[in-house]
Amino acid sequence: MGQPPHPYAQPQAAPGAPGAPDQGPEFLAVDRHNSVVIDINGVAFEDHGIAIDFTWPEIRSVHYKASGNGKSLMVAVIHLDGSFYECTVEAKPRERLHHWFAHLAQVLGYYRPMG
């Protein structure tokens, strides 16, 4: 006979802590040359085949905006040492940019609730 279910939920480890499950919201924006991925590990850019990863502890802030022509998403990471990194992903169709903005705000709010 099996054991009765435990009456209390098991404590969950903080995101990114040793033993914590690798889960949480993810953001992905991709075009034919570039990509931006934001997940439990941090922020990753790929720009024409060159990749760079930033873990949450080394990120001071993450910013995003539409390009001047409104056709691309621009994401910037400010490193703790003040370095600035940016990646631009083309949104085709253009309406995709609105979806990316909404989802990006949600994911960044989860990982960086204070900015």
Side-chain angles (χ1 to χ4, degrees):
M1 191 122 138
Q3 293 192 13
H6 197 277
Y8 300 102
Q10 296 298 314
Q12 298 294 316
D22 286 338
Q23 60 187 22
E26 297 178 343
F27 173 81
L28 173 65
V30 176
D31 66 20
R32 59 188 180 153
H33 298 292
N34 303 333
S35 67
V36 173
V37 177
I38 301 173
D39 61 17
I40 194 167
N41 298 309
V43 179
F45 292 161
E46 185 170 336
D47 189 345
H48 291 81
I50 299 173
I52 186 166
D53 297 327
F54 306 95
T55 61
W56 289 117
E58 66 186 345
I59 295 173
R60 179 180 296 166
S61 59
V62 179
H63 307 272
Y64 60 95
K65 66 179 184 176
S67 62
N69 64 9
K71 294 182 180 180
S72 300
L73 170 67
M74 301 168 71
V75 179
V77 168
I78 310 300
H79 196 272
L80 284 178
D81 67 10
S83 302
F84 175 88
Y85 301 87
E86 185 176 72
C87 188
T88 301
V89 181
E90 187 176 355
K92 277 191 173 178
R94 191 181 288 198
E95 294 78 35
R96 183 171 292 156
L97 190 59
H98 300 291
H99 171 73
W100 283 347
F101 271 23
H103 189 60
L104 185 52
Q106 174 199 21
V107 172
L108 285 174
Y110 179 85
Y111 294 113
R112 303 294 294 231
M114 299 308 288

